[in-house]
Amino acid sequence: MATNSAVKAAKSFLNTTGFSPEPTLLEQYVKCLSEDGLVEEAVDVYNALKETGISPSVVTSNAVLLGCLKARKLHLFWELHKGMMESEVDLERIRCLIQALCDGGEVSEGYELLKQGLKQGLDPGHDVYAKLISGFCKIGNYACMSEILHTMIAWNHFPNLYTYNEVIKGLCKNKKHVEAFCIFKSLKEKGYAPDRVVYTTMIHGLCEKGWLGSARKLWFEMIKKGMQPNELTYNVMIHGHLKRGEFVLAGEFYSEMLRKGYKETTVSCNTVISGFCSHGKSDEAFEFFKKMSETGVAPDAITYNALIQGFCKENKVEKGMKVYKELKALGLKPSVVTYAALVRNLKMSDSVETSLNF
DNA sequence: ATAGGGTTAG
């Protein structure tokens, strides 16, 4: 591969001398330009080549396509590809096309192409499968995600931890906690070593489901393996316990977090405040909220929305309105749910005259 | 592609 400076030298040489090299050399040049990220110029030379009646090799065409992908120029990619329709589709072309489809959000089309290629024995390799899997994770298509996971293993490509983390996260998001936990457990049997991120993802999933016992088991397991929970792991655990009304345990995790040197953040405070509010403890939430200003942790829209909703749920309209005014004064916005809760509360109370003052 | 994990609400 040419260095960038070599490409520049070649470019200026061609421009200043008007020298027209052999087509094969020009193809080489196109390849270098593409690999160096000079995609627009690569495309120009590529098109110039075609205009002189020469059809560039598959290798050259693929190199330009890959260049467009790496430079995230999808328009250029598809425009070029239109002009390549008659040329042969090889493995590299399939790899490029699937990646372009994934980047453009057309994961299902990418998957179709994968299946077509595999029928002909064209296996695009680990990274392409991984890209399809994360694409399907993003759109919440559990079935396809799982299919591809099995396919890639069948083709002897073993997903890395990153991919497994996405799979576990995707499964949890799609309420497939049992499957997610199975995959997590099978990881260890297969010889993978889940790291702190994967542990945190799984603990989060278990907490969401309310399976605190399993969550705690993993918590101690990761510590035993020498991994220290960080502020994210702590927050996941605190949130999980608060959600289930386990205030004492949540408090223990919270103070341990501080003892370990993790500072309180807006997020950790929001977790506590929303935890109190969802269990009819809005006054305790408010006490906690007041302490935030003392410790210098800035509240945000989430803090205020949680508090207002908490007060509304307990029909404490006056308190809710007070917090609402504070939110407005800070230039923050109430969420639709918060606003609806306030309106409902105001209608129920006698203070119908109290304006929400938009 | 040596990347990736958390908080409101329903």
Side-chain angles (χ1 to χ4, degrees):
Chain A
M1 185 180 126
T3 64
N4 210 311
S5 61
V7 172
K8 275 184 193 145
K11 213 167 78 181
S12 91
F13 177 76
L14 289 172
N15 287 341
T16 52
T17 60
F19 169 64
S20 15
E22 289 292 308
T24 48
L25 277 177
L26 276 177
E27 288 201 38
Q28 199 58 39
Y29 181 47
V30 169
K31 214 165 153 257
C32 292
L33 286 168
S34 307
E35 282 166 1
D36 283 357
L38 302 166
V39 201
E40 271 91 355
E41 297 179 74
V43 173
D44 284 345
V45 182
Y46 182 86
N47 287 333
L49 257 172
K50 284 187 86 171
E51 271 162 34
T52 60
I54 293 147
S55 72
S57 73
V58 184
V59 175
T60 306
S61 301
N62 289 341
V64 199
L65 287 176
L66 194 64
C68 292
L69 268 182
K70 289 214 171 117
R72 313 210 125 268
K73 308 247 155 99
L74 281 181
H75 285 297
L76 218 51
F77 179 100
W78 291 117
E79 206 168 300
L80 263 172
H81 179 252
K82 252 193 283 175
M84 296 177 182
M85 292 306 236
E86 69 286 354
S87 78
E88 126 189 36
V89 173
D90 65 341
L91 177 59
E92 182 62 18
R93 180 68 48 86
I94 289 181
R95 301 185 72 234
C96 288
L97 285 170
I98 296 176
Q99 289 184 70
L101 287 166
C102 287
D103 287 347
E106 297 171 276
V107 204
S108 296
E109 287 77 0
Y111 188 25
E112 281 310 309
L113 205 50
L114 172 79
K115 287 194 275 196
Q116 279 174 35
L118 288 176
K119 264 187 225 154
Q120 304 164 51
L122 298 174
D123 170 13
H126 177 281
D127 291 355
V128 173
Y129 291 96
K131 200 153 189 172
L132 282 165
I133 288 174
S134 50
F136 279 120
C137 281
K138 273 192 199 94
I139 60 172
N141 189 331
Y142 155 69
C144 287
M145 179 187 83
S146 182
E147 273 173 29
I148 297 170
L149 191 68
H150 288 105
T151 308
M152 76 184 286
I153 293 170
W155 284 82
N156 262 313
H157 298 295
F158 299 99
N160 58 24
L161 263 189
Y162 171 92
T163 303
Y164 271 118
N165 187 55
E166 284 212 301
V167 168
I168 292 167
K169 195 174 49 167
L171 285 170
C172 290
K173 228 168 57 186
N174 289 286
K175 309 258 177 253
K176 308 270 184 190
H177 294 86
V178 178
E179 286 90 334
F181 201 23
C182 279
I183 289 188
F184 178 85
K185 285 187 281 200
S186 77
L187 279 183
K188 291 182 275 186
E189 287 156 21
K190 286 180 192 149
Y192 288 87
D195 63 5
R196 181 162 68 187
V197 174
V198 181
Y199 268 97
T200 304
T201 304
M202 193 65 250
I203 291 172
H204 179 225
L206 295 170
C207 283
E208 284 281 287
K209 192 79 181 138
W211 294 339
L212 298 184
S214 300
R216 276 200 297 269
K217 223 171 123 190
L218 286 194
W219 173 274
F220 293 116
E221 183 181 295
M222 72 182 279
I223 292 172
K224 214 167 91 188
K225 289 188 178 168
M227 285 169 274
Q228 284 305 312
N230 65 4
E231 55 192 315
L232 281 88
T233 326
Y234 272 103
N235 203 62
V236 163
M237 206 61 164
I238 293 160
H239 180 241
H241 281 76
L242 286 172
K243 212 174 148 187
R244 295 281 292 204
E246 298 275 5
F247 293 98
V248 177
L249 282 170
E252 281 170 11
F253 280 112
Y254 204 88
S255 32
E256 188 182 298
M257 175 182 83
L258 298 178
R259 236 183 6 257
K260 289 268 164 69
Y262 297 110
K263 299 263 177 286
E264 287 183 289
T265 62
T266 303
V267 172
S268 72
C269 292
N270 286 346
T271 301
V272 174
I273 289 171
S274 63
F276 277 136
C277 287
S278 61
H279 288 279
K281 294 172 179 287
S282 60
D283 288 319
E284 274 152 287
F286 191 67
E287 286 307 309
F288 193 90
F289 166 76
K290 281 195 288 193
K291 273 193 272 174
M292 283 175 74
S293 55
E294 289 165 27
T295 44
V297 181
D300 63 3
I302 293 173
T303 324
Y304 285 102
N305 278 297
L307 268 176
I308 297 168
Q309 285 178 51
F311 280 135
C312 286
K313 212 154 41 182
E314 296 166 44
N315 301 320
K316 295 169 177 165
V317 203
E318 305 296 328
K319 287 175 174 172
M321 280 307 293
K322 225 180 123 191
V323 178
Y324 173 78
K325 279 175 189 148
E326 207 174 314
L327 167 143
K328 295 290 284 182
L330 284 169
L332 298 170
K333 279 199 163 162
S335 74
V336 183
V337 180
T338 299
Y339 193 76
L342 270 174
V343 171
R344 200 169 40 240
N345 252 255
L346 287 170
K347 276 186 187 155
M348 284 189 317
S349 75
D350 295 328
S351 53
V352 268
E353 308 90 281
T354 322
S355 162
L356 278 171
N357 194 19
F358 250 121

